[in-house]
Amino acid sequence: MPVDPRLATLGVSAAAAAFVVVVRDRRGPPPGPALDVEISTGVELTVSTAGTIKTHRFGRRVLVGRVASADLRLDDPLVSRLHARIEMRDDGVYVEDLGSRNGTRVDGANVVGSRCLRVDEEIEIGAASIIFRGVGAWR
């Protein structure tokens, strides 16, 4: 016995409609509006060296050293070519000594491995004093 094509089309349409209803119910309610927040994108440091004080804004990673390619260049014989790295991670901003000869200190204590920074802590590299001011969003 042949099946009426109109009946077959009606059956397929009903099945498709039932599928859409079931899938839509599983998705749950639509999400709320997006939050309007700024995402931290950089590190702010105040550097005091050779009688000058200047505030710098960097990206998520700052290489400190004597070499010209360093993000923060310190012209000091006590500073290694690549001396330290200041890096923003998911859980905070860290300073890490990169095996320098004279070491890196935070508030007078030597940095071994990497150390999480708090706002207004002082990083000492050679004769330079670097104050971690925090993170912010800027261009």
Side-chain angles (χ1 to χ4, degrees), residues 1 6 21 30 39 49 61 63 79 88 95 113 127:
M1 175 171 205
R6 292 177 293 177
V21 168
I39 298 172
T49 182
R61 180 180 294 167
L63 285 174
V79 176
M88 222 168 105
V95 62

Side-chain angles (χ1 to χ4, degrees), residues 12-135:
V12 170
S13 298
F19 177 78
V20 168
V21 168
V22 169
V23 170
R24 188 166 288 158
D25 286 341
R26 286 188 178 172
R27 288 189 306 190
L35 298 175
D36 186 19
V37 297
E38 287 193 10
I39 298 172
S40 300
T41 58
V43 178
E44 185 171 302
L45 304 171
T46 298
V47 180
S48 173
T49 182
T52 62
I53 299 174
K54 187 171 182 182
T55 298
H56 301 273
R57 291 178 172 171
F58 296 98
R60 297 179 64 86
R61 180 180 294 167
V62 183
L63 285 174
V64 182
R66 219 177 50 237
V67 67
S69 63
D71 300 311
L72 178 56
R73 188 171 183 276
L74 300 174
D75 191 21
D76 181 345
L78 297 175
V79 176
S80 298
R81 289 180 292 163
L82 287 177
H83 195 101
R85 174 180 28 236
I86 301 169
E87 181 175 38
M88 222 168 105
R89 299 180 189 164
D90 290 338
D91 59 340
V93 176
Y94 288 79
V95 62
E96 178 182 2
D97 186 80
L98 298 177
S100 66
R101 178 173 285 175
N102 295 308
T104 302
R105 291 166 303 287
V106 174
D107 286 342
N110 285 331
V111 173
V112 178
S114 63
R115 181 191 185 287
C116 188
L117 291 171
R118 291 186 307 266
V119 174
D120 292 335
E121 281 192 313
E122 179 183 15
I123 305 163
E124 300 166 45
I125 296 177
S129 170
I130 303 167
I131 307 293
F132 170 60
R133 295 297 182 193
V135 297

